[in-house]
Amino acid sequence: MKLNCIVVDDSALQRITVTKLISDNQFLHLVGEFSNATDAKNCISTKNIDLVFLDIEMPVINGFDFLDGLKVKPQIIFITVKTEYALKAFDYNATDYLHKPLTKERFNLAVSKAFNLFTLQKETNEEDEEFIFIKSNLKKLKIFTSKIRWIEAFGDYVKVITEDDNHLVLSTMKAFEKDLPADKFIRVHKSYIINIHKVETFNSKFAEIDTFKIPLSRNKKDNLVEALKKSS
């Protein structure tokens, strides 16, 4: 398991330094590097980012203002040349605060903190999450409902599409729908059940999840609109 991370620093030289340290660390996967907060914010809004290596003093939007503008905040490791921001950084629940120039040992220590915190939060969240058991390939699998993107009819089976994999289950759509939490899933077509929280956009004909267009039955759009209102 690796943490998806990005680097946000207006200095090209510093980005090179940090990305090299990331590439040498077994717990990190670099998703992108950005010279400004606006591009970084767009990345976080469209991709699953677990950790941000963030400079504080940047033009136009500084590191603190960048964090104030995020709805969902990944873990943050501040990287800056100045020490006077340290107290304010921890007001933002920073995982760590690194002072330039960086050393590999100190960098890896900060990453270890982030990885351990991520693992702890993941275990805690999974204990509280709803799940179902499905029978696939002669095995019973525990599937967290939050990871299901959609379910589609597949002959005598249903195909369960999750964030991690796809599973074929011998079942009818009607029977499978009964096992799903009604406040999170909705039947939008005779062949499709979708996770309401995964819907990115929709129109009168399609609901879109991860660029996949799922057809909406003529009489199901209003049901979807109502369900999305309740879930927001």
Side-chain angles (χ1 to χ4, degrees):
M1 181 174 61
K2 294 189 176 187
L3 304 184
N4 291 328
C5 65
I6 61 172
V7 180
V8 190
D9 196 315
D10 61 313
S11 167
L13 182 60
Q14 288 298 329
R15 293 200 305 276
I16 291 172
T17 300
V18 178
T19 54
K20 176 62 169 64
L21 289 167
I22 289 171
S23 68
D24 291 339
N25 190 287
Q26 62 177 326
F27 298 119
L28 299 177
H29 167 66
L30 180 64
V31 176
E33 53 172 292
F34 304 95
S35 61
N36 62 81
T38 301
D39 290 342
K41 184 177 180 181
N42 290 338
C43 175
I44 291 174
S45 67
T46 57
K47 296 182 180 179
N48 182 28
I49 304 301
D50 305 306
L51 176 62
V52 179
F53 295 96
L54 180 63
D55 186 23
I56 294 175
E57 292 189 326
M58 295 185 293
V60 185
I61 301 174
N62 67 36
F64 295 124
D65 291 339
F66 165 68
L67 292 179
D68 288 336
L70 294 180
K71 291 182 179 178
V72 178
K73 293 179 175 61
Q75 286 193 68
I76 302 296
I77 293 178
F78 285 107
I79 300 178
T80 181
V81 73
K82 296 185 178 180
T83 59
E84 59 260 37
Y85 295 118
L87 286 176
K88 186 174 180 180
F90 286 103
D91 286 340
Y92 280 79
N93 294 320
T95 301
D96 211 334
Y97 186 94
L98 301 181
H99 188 248
K100 300 174 184 178
L102 301 175
T103 66
K104 186 172 184 178
E105 292 73 20
R106 184 66 182 87
F107 179 86
N108 287 341
L109 178 61
V111 172
S112 293
K113 288 182 184 179
F115 186 81
N116 291 336
L117 182 58
F118 176 83
T119 303
L120 180 63
Q121 289 174 338
K122 187 173 186 295
E123 290 173 352
T124 302
N125 290 339
E126 286 184 351
E127 288 177 3
D128 296 333
E129 274 194 54
E130 291 181 279
F131 61 87
I132 60 174
F133 280 101
I134 64 172
K135 191 172 182 180
S136 180
N137 293 327
L138 302 179
K139 295 180 181 179
K140 282 196 173 182
L141 302 176
K142 183 179 182 179
I143 303 292
F144 291 102
T145 57
S146 63
K147 288 184 172 290
I148 298 175
R149 296 190 291 174
W150 72 85
I151 300 97
E152 63 181 86
F154 200 79
D156 293 331
Y157 295 79
V158 297
K159 184 187 289 187
V160 183
I161 290 84
T162 73
E163 293 176 358
D164 306 314
D165 208 347
N166 300 335
H167 306 280
L168 279 179
V169 181
L170 183 60
S171 175
T172 64
M173 293 287 282
K174 186 176 182 180
F176 197 88
E177 186 177 10
K178 290 179 180 178
D179 292 332
L180 298 170
D183 61 329
K184 294 183 176 67
F185 291 85
I186 183 172
R187 184 90 171 260
V188 295
H189 187 276
K190 66 178 181 180
S191 298
Y192 289 92
I193 300 168
I194 62 174
N195 186 334
I196 298 165
H197 298 286
K198 302 294 185 184
V199 175
E200 295 170 3
T201 62
F202 70 94
N203 56 32
S204 60
K205 295 182 178 179
F206 298 100
E208 192 167 309
I209 298 177
D210 295 334
T211 72
F212 187 88
K213 292 184 177 180
I214 296 171
L216 295 179
S217 294
R218 191 174 301 174
N219 61 336
K220 294 294 186 180
K221 181 188 173 185
D222 290 343
N223 294 345
L224 177 58
V225 170
E226 189 63 29
L228 288 170
K229 285 181 181 178
K230 290 180 180 179
S231 67
S232 61

